[in-house]
Amino acid sequence: MRIQLLPENVAEKIAAGEVIERPSSVVKELLENSLDAGATDVAVAFEDGGKGLIEVLDNGRGMAEADLALAVQRHATSKIRALDDLEKLRTLGFRGEALPSIRAVSELSLLSRDIESTRTFEWKSGEVRPATFGHFLGSKHGTRVQARGLFSQVPARLKFLKSNASEVSMTREWMERLALTHPETGFSLTSDGRKILSLRPQSADERIRAILLEGEDYPIQAQTFGESDSFRIRLHWVQGYTAPTTKKMIQIVNGRALRDRLVQQALLSAFKQLLLPGQFPALVLSLDIDPSELDVNVHPTKTEVRFLENRKVFAGIQEAAKRLIEREGAPMVVAPKLFPSPSQISWGAPQDNASRPFAHGAESAFSHGAEGSFNYGAEGSFTRGAADARSDSDSLYFPSSPVLPNAFLTPQAQHSFFGPDSIYRGQLFNTYLMYERAGELWIIDQHAAHERIRYEKLKTALLKRSELSPAQEMLLPEIVHFPIESRSELERKLAYLERLGFNAELFSDDSLVFRSIPAQWGASRLGPRLKSLVERLISLSEIPSGASASTASVDEAIFEKLASEACHSAVRAGDPLSPETSKSIVAELFACEHPWNCPHGRPTVVRVPKGKFEEWFLRRV
Ligand code: ADP
Ligand code: MG
């Protein structure tokens, strides 16, 4: 016989591996239990990076004597009774696997006092005994779970643990994500006696500030969407803040911290309008959905979910984000306090410090200045704050995000841009159009503005095929060569080009012939643009597929990927423009859906308030 049943203790350890990978997974499971038990305060302590001891204290409902022994059994749970209960699940746990898994890979003990009792019991080494409670966290009820010697019997796992410092920091990260789901609960983490995290109960905004911004002061904008439907979406967006990774995009689905790709894509598809490639927003998305429309039983650690109606969820999240962005605008606005002195501005300089937007350093620089030491032209008076924000020479870079805090422009303001109070003041450096308006100087980058206009026109035309002007037949078909090994790839994707209004055929093993192109595409530099269009098409990998992708969203996604070839602006920086042309560009810009950035994310408009000029000329100190 070759097949044998594994001994119980081996099977247990293998099964535990699905749930418990490292110290942070122990903490996640234990904290989920504490939160399910209604705790408003939880404290985690580590010794030796979690390998020595992991202890979790909570002031939740606690467990009675009889439940203590059951809690550590596999498939023992108080949270569901039958399979159907998953349809109305409101708790984080339900699998009844966490405590037995932790027990299999460490020396586990539980000490608890039930909310309805005055007696305390401890479960240890398979036995339940009376114990003394010790009033932890100032509560009369609650639970203390201790896990000692994690993986000491499982060398294969132990080997894969990282340094104590990294295990602690991964744990901190998980705790922060859980803390964002429960701002009303206090969280703390200590490691070998050192405080790593300490969060008191607070409002959602305060919690977001504490965790995502480490206390920095940015406005937080909120939007609620879909309340009348079977879901509710609440979005908190840290306006003006950008991060170099998606780590600060927090997803909470029915109180569960997740990393779901669908949710992420829905958010990014809306926010990319505001950000340069490689920049990501800081935000918290909370989705509350009827539990029957959600399958959380997809993954042992419950970090992935499945939505019954993918498309509805995707569209809902995208819509909520778009509304928020439209409502708050994406202002390329310079608030008086944030504008650096002219000697320190270098427009479009490298964004070597993307995670620390300009405003951070500049603001402290200016509050420093406002205290009375403002000294025009004397670089030294700025260095205290500004120096941390810049890492190269002596110039401040322009904000890594074009969106600056404390400065919003509402859609209403857009529409009234051409009111009697807007006066055209001419073109600067043959590149910037200047308007005086309501006590501010508005500076518009003519090239960026024109790119935005071209982009939106082409997009509308391509996506609503009815508005597509008849294809422009080419007198001489344009031939584009491609690497021979990409032929089959290209063949599969050719239909996309067709859908966007191009007529192209494979010509030989390594070339494609374009016979007609959309009229809106324009005829300048056709050869190189078609070549890079084809290159992009070949490298295009992420085309949304499956249930989540409607035809329109696929078209839009393809268009976005190919877009940079689309907006070949006729108006360049350095072109002199007549006042009439300037005005019509600005009028068209403000008729755009997203007037604030060019399609590559650079700002189109910067506002300088009059107060800033007064500051420069020492009229107001
Ligand atoms: P699950 O959370 O999936 O039910 P667990 O193994 O994590 O499974 O926990 C088993 C049971 O033990 C829970 O259903 C709950 O009744 C009880 N329990 C665990 N931790 C706590 C706690 N901190 N406070 C109160 N009850 C707890
Ligand atoms: Mg649990």
Side-chain angles (χ1 to χ4, degrees), residues 339 372 398:
F339 202 57
F398 191 70

Side-chain angles (χ1 to χ4, degrees), residues 23-32 44 46 54 56 171 175:
S24 64
S25 21
V26 175
V27 171
K28 169 185 176 282
E29 293 295 336
L30 295 180
L31 287 181
E32 286 189 353
V44 181
F46 266 34
I54 298 173
V56 174
T171 303
M175 285 184 71

Side-chain angles (χ1 to χ4, degrees), residues 280-591:
F280 301 94
L283 54 84
V284 176
L285 170 98
S286 313
L287 170 65
D288 286 308
I289 187 164
D290 187 327
S292 67
E293 297 198 10
L294 185 70
D295 185 357
V296 287
N297 193 21
V298 186
H299 195 268
T301 61
K302 301 162 292 183
T303 43
E304 280 170 32
V305 292
R306 232 161 255 153
F307 297 102
L308 193 61
E309 297 197 61
N310 257 337
R311 201 182 296 188
K312 196 175 77 179
V313 171
F314 188 92
I317 294 172
Q318 200 180 33
E319 185 61 29
K322 282 190 169 158
R323 283 198 192 176
L324 178 63
I325 293 164
E326 268 159 37
R327 194 190 77 205
E328 296 303 332
M332 306 331 110
V333 188
V334 177
K337 284 283 178 207
L338 294 169
F339 202 57
S341 82
S343 63
Q344 289 176 307
I345 286 188
S346 85
W347 306 91
Q351 283 141 28
D352 45 15
N353 215 340
S355 63
R356 290 188 84 191
F358 154 91
H360 173 72
E363 182 139 49
S364 43
F366 275 92
S367 50
H368 180 54
E371 278 156 31
S373 56
F374 184 94
N375 186 357
Y376 182 64
E379 297 253 330
S381 64
F382 289 95
T383 47
R384 193 184 69 184
D388 344 338
R390 65 195 185 187
S391 60
D392 58 338
S393 67
D394 57 349
S395 65
L396 262 180
Y397 54 86
F398 191 70
S400 61
S401 161
V403 186
L404 289 172
N406 304 322
F408 324 131
L409 196 67
T410 59
Q412 290 87 315
Q414 278 176 50
H415 298 312
S416 61
F417 182 74
F418 274 102
D421 59 341
S422 304
I423 310 162
Y424 181 57
R425 292 294 185 196
Q427 194 193 20
L428 183 69
F429 309 134
N430 283 341
T431 300
Y432 306 103
L433 311 178
M434 296 191 298
Y435 282 82
E436 181 185 333
R437 179 172 186 274
E440 289 177 334
L441 172 65
W442 284 47
I443 308 170
I444 293 148
D445 178 321
Q446 64 190 39
H447 177 64
H450 201 237
E451 279 198 341
R452 166 54 65 187
I453 296 162
R454 291 282 291 246
Y455 175 88
E456 290 205 4
K457 277 194 179 159
L458 183 63
K459 182 168 172 175
T460 322
L462 293 178
L463 298 185
K464 298 187 194 146
R465 235 139 297 182
S466 54
E467 287 170 37
L468 199 61
S469 6
Q472 154 187 346
E473 289 280 341
M474 296 194 281
L475 288 177
L476 286 176
E478 191 79 39
I479 293 176
V480 174
H481 291 275
F482 53 82
I484 197 158
E485 66 274 14
S486 311
R487 187 188 161 95
S488 61
E489 182 85 16
L490 201 54
E491 208 167 355
R492 270 189 294 122
K493 292 173 176 169
L494 220 48
Y496 294 127
L497 276 187
E498 192 100 12
R499 296 232 299 265
L500 295 180
F502 292 84
N503 178 337
E505 271 169 45
L506 285 166
F507 180 58
S508 62
D509 281 350
D510 68 346
S511 59
L512 197 61
V513 57
F514 281 84
R515 298 191 196 285
S516 65
I517 55 173
Q520 285 89 346
W521 178 262
S524 71
R525 291 183 60 243
L526 212 48
R529 281 166 65 213
L530 287 175
K531 182 152 177 64
S532 67
L533 179 73
V534 170
E535 276 163 13
R536 278 172 186 275
L537 191 66
I538 291 170
S539 64
L540 191 73
S541 58
E542 296 160 35
I543 295 174
S545 59
S548 64
S550 65
T551 320
S553 77
V554 171
D555 279 358
E556 189 165 337
I558 296 165
F559 176 76
E560 297 289 346
K561 296 272 190 286
L562 306 178
S564 53
E565 301 320 316
C567 43
H568 251 260
S569 162
V571 179
R572 308 244 125 222
D575 291 350
L577 298 184
S578 70
E580 289 66 40
T581 315
S582 301
K583 283 179 195 167
S584 82
I585 286 180
V586 174
E588 283 191 79
L589 175 65
F590 287 100

